[in-house]
Amino acid sequence: MSWAWTPAQDGDVFDAVYLNGLFSTAKTWLDDIEASGIREGSFNRHHCGDIMRDAILLEGDESATHVYNQSVFGASIVYSSYGADGGTTTAGDLGSGDRIVVGHPSATGGYTGAKAEYNWLAPGRRVGMANGSTSDNCNSIVLQGNVALVDIDPASAADLEFMLCFQYQNSSDGTWRTIDHSERFWRFDDKIIGSENVGLDCAVDAVLTPDIFDEHGAQATDYVQGVRMMASLYATGTTTNIEFTLNSWSMLILRPYASDL
Amino acid sequence: MPNITFGNTFTDGTALSATSLRQNIYRTTSPATGLSIVNGLLDEDNIDSSASLSPEHTQRGAFIDGSMRAATLNMDYFDEYFSNYTDTTWDSTNTPGERAIPGGCWSDWIPYDGKAWVQWQIMWGNQSTDATHRSRIYLKVNDTYQTNQRRAVGLSINSNAHEGYRRNRVWSGSTLVDVSEGRNHFGLYVICHSGINHTRVWARNISVVHWRETS
């Protein structure tokens, strides 16, 4: 509570004990000021700490186009596998997955630069207000990405859909999982594409919340070890020789501070 | 400054001096003692360990702040604006005649060293009939060209019309920038090959969210 001042009264004995008591009262209050003793709006930027635990930008430049082709895809993405968590960080190998890390194309791209994946030091970072003020805690993880889609093949397919999404890695089992609602599809057809390049900018964003994390983990004990941006291509009736080409891309990661105090 | 230390304790039978009394209330020694610490020297040690400070205790913008600029009026750029620019590849050092796009630029004072989250959307197109004649849009941060933030339209189309999927572009971009206290400028610029008679910019916006970083 705020300081409740007791004024001197006529008739009080103004001796050393009384005088020392006045200073003692002031010290007691000023040594431990409570929230109600602080006026709203008292603190400005000089008093406040950082709002972001992390603010990270990953980028791939346009010094070369990056080709992701069927030899590394395994199979065209199909709606029956919508929401799948496939994909690996191994260049040229999607394994059983149906998507690949942006910035990590197949060997045909010949690109060895940055990739759209960030890994925190072990054990990772926690997500969620329930974790109090632990130094690794954050409210959520904001993800935002953009890629320049240069071309997709085959142009003759009846339907073509390019897909972007975000994935995160849970410390409990090391599995990369797709944030389902982050999946975005860009649909084309051969009449539009023809023999031209696509030249399309594809943007995607998502927030990894504690609720999403809790679907496969426990925010109080598990950690987010990494996040990444994945891409894939769906071609109706075609499971071979599909390919897409990317150019510049960027991925942004923000971890706003959180505390339950 | 930690908790208060009073320099003088009073005892019965000892004459009370004005100086000793005043020193407990106000003393200009360094470090200050007594009640002098209320003059700007209170710190986290003076806040009760169980105090729960809420956002209402902070001033607006203390943690994070931002704003957006936007416009929808069509902006038409003709070939004479661009100093006969004929460069067919990106050139980070030579972009004569570049034009800042109204509604696509943000310039303001940022009161601390920190980071800025810059996001923009822009739509533009041209009537190029040559694949090497492109209308280029790119981001500059405090007059510095951003290598990874640039896009172009202008493909080989046998038509002079603006309409059509392949000669228009919509770019939703974002980036993260280190900023210093002071005026900062983030802007989308356009430059066009002189072989393009007409480039049009449609709706565009740029938003900047910035926050302080202490480390």
Side-chain angles (χ1 to χ4, degrees):
Chain A
M1 64 177 65
S2 302
W3 187 2
W5 173 255
T6 303
Q9 303 288 326
D10 288 340
D12 287 350
V13 177
F14 198 90
D15 58 7
V17 172
Y18 182 85
L19 184 57
N20 288 328
L22 290 179
F23 284 112
S24 178
T25 300
K27 172 180 170 58
T28 299
W29 189 85
L30 285 171
D31 282 353
D32 293 295
I33 300 172
E34 298 178 357
S36 59
I38 301 171
R39 185 173 181 171
E40 290 186 359
S42 294
F43 297 119
N44 60 32
R45 62 182 179 275
H46 298 295
H47 302 103
C48 300
D50 295 357
I51 190 66
M52 296 294 176
R53 295 286 202 195
D54 283 323
I56 299 160
L57 176 68
L58 307 174
E59 288 184 308
D61 66 29
E62 65 164 19
S63 58
T65 54
H66 316 145
V67 181
Y68 308 72
N69 67 18
Q70 173 61 32
S71 65
V72 302
F73 260 73
S76 170
I77 186 172
V78 293
Y79 280 118
S80 62
S81 63
Y82 180 85
D85 302 316
T88 100
T89 59
T90 304
D93 180 14
L94 275 174
S96 60
D98 55 15
R99 56 202 73 188
I100 192 167
V101 182
V102 171
H104 218 220
S106 61
T108 54
Y111 178 68
T112 57
K115 64 180 178 180
E117 178 179 322
Y118 188 82
N119 298 286
W120 283 282
L121 293 174
R125 298 293 183 269
R126 283 183 172 149
V127 177
M129 300 292 282
N131 299 308
S133 59
T134 54
S135 60
D136 59 358
N137 187 34
C138 65
N139 169 273
S140 58
I141 299 177
V142 179
L143 303 166
Q144 190 172 53
N146 178 271
V147 303
L149 177 61
V150 176
D151 199 10
I152 52 180
D153 284 309
S156 59
D159 293 298
L160 283 168
E161 292 186 0
F162 175 71
M163 189 279 290
L164 280 178
C165 70
F166 287 110
Q167 291 187 337
Y168 68 96
Q169 187 179 34
N170 188 324
S171 65
S172 64
D173 57 8
T175 299
W176 285 94
R177 291 189 169 85
T178 297
I179 301 175
D180 292 350
H181 70 268
S182 73
E183 289 185 325
R184 290 290 179 275
F185 292 82
W186 286 264
R187 181 185 175 92
F188 310 90
D189 65 61
D190 57 342
K191 292 179 182 177
I192 291 178
I193 294 175
S195 60
E196 304 281 351
N197 286 340
V198 176
L200 185 71
D201 292 294
C202 303
V204 60
D205 52 35
V207 179
L208 176 57
T209 64
D211 287 345
I212 294 173
F213 187 76
D214 281 346
E215 292 175 4
H216 299 283
Q219 58 176 288
T221 56
D222 299 338
Y223 297 85
V224 178
Q225 291 184 311
V227 291
R228 63 188 186 183
M229 180 165 59
M230 309 290 282
S232 192
L233 190 69
Y234 165 63
T236 300
T238 303
T239 57
T240 58
N241 300 319
I242 63 172
E243 180 176 281
F244 64 89
T245 304
L246 303 182
N247 201 274
S248 299
W249 59 265
S250 64
M251 177 180 171
L252 193 146
I253 306 160
L254 299 176
R255 286 200 315 122
Y257 175 88
S259 171
D260 64 349
L261 295 178
Chain B
M1 173 62 65
N3 295 334
I4 292 177
T5 301
F6 290 116
N8 301 306
T9 301
F10 306 101
T11 55
D12 289 333
T14 302
L16 176 65
S17 73
T19 298
S20 60
L21 182 60
R22 187 261 302 163
Q23 286 176 344
N24 274 16
I25 299 173
Y26 185 78
R27 195 172 196 179
T28 58
T29 56
S30 180
T33 59
L35 299 177
S36 299
I37 69 166
V38 300
N39 287 327
L41 294 174
L42 294 171
D43 63 14
E44 64 271 22
D45 289 334
N46 297 105
I47 297 179
D48 189 277
S49 59
S50 63
S52 180
L53 302 181
S54 65
E56 286 72 23
H57 286 109
T58 65
Q59 295 176 11
R60 180 184 180 278
F63 284 109
I64 193 168
D65 207 351
S67 58
M68 185 179 81
R69 313 285 184 262
T72 56
L73 181 68
N74 290 345
M75 295 294 294
D76 292 318
Y77 299 91
F78 299 97
D79 50 357
E80 62 262 32
Y81 290 163
F82 298 104
S83 307
N84 297 317
Y85 181 64
T86 57
D87 189 5
T88 55
T89 60
W90 290 109
D91 185 339
S92 62
T93 59
N94 178 27
T95 52
E98 65 198 23
R99 297 279 171 152
I101 300 171
C105 296
W106 187 100
S107 185
D108 210 338
W109 185 271
I110 294 179
Y112 36 65
D113 294 344
K115 277 198 164 53
W117 178 13
V118 186
Q119 303 175 85
W120 60 93
Q121 285 187 310
I122 186 167
M123 302 169 62
W124 76 106
N126 64 25
Q127 42 72 269
S128 170
T129 57
D130 187 318
T132 63
H133 295 175
R134 297 191 165 206
S135 302
R136 308 171 187 277
I137 301 283
Y138 57 89
L139 178 74
K140 289 175 78 173
V141 175
N142 293 326
D143 292 327
T144 301
Y145 183 84
Q146 302 297 295
T147 302
N148 292 319
Q149 303 299 346
R150 52 189 181 181
R151 298 290 189 272
V153 294
L155 302 174
S156 178
I157 307 297
N158 295 319
S159 168
N160 287 325
H162 277 292
E163 295 79 8
Y165 165 76
R166 288 165 292 185
R167 60 174 64 249
N168 299 333
R169 193 155 189 159
V170 181
W171 183 19
S172 300
S174 63
T175 192
L176 196 64
V177 180
D178 291 325
V179 293
S180 299
E181 178 181 349
R183 182 160 292 278
N184 284 267
H185 175 76
F186 312 98
L188 297 172
Y189 289 72
V190 60
I191 190 167
C192 307
H193 192 282
S194 59
I196 302 171
N197 292 330
H198 183 203
T199 296
R200 172 167 289 182
V201 174
W202 288 278
R204 62 278 183 189
N205 66 64
I206 184 168
S207 67
V208 176
V209 177
H210 52 82
W211 58 88
R212 179 174 177 245
E213 273 196 343
T214 56
S215 58

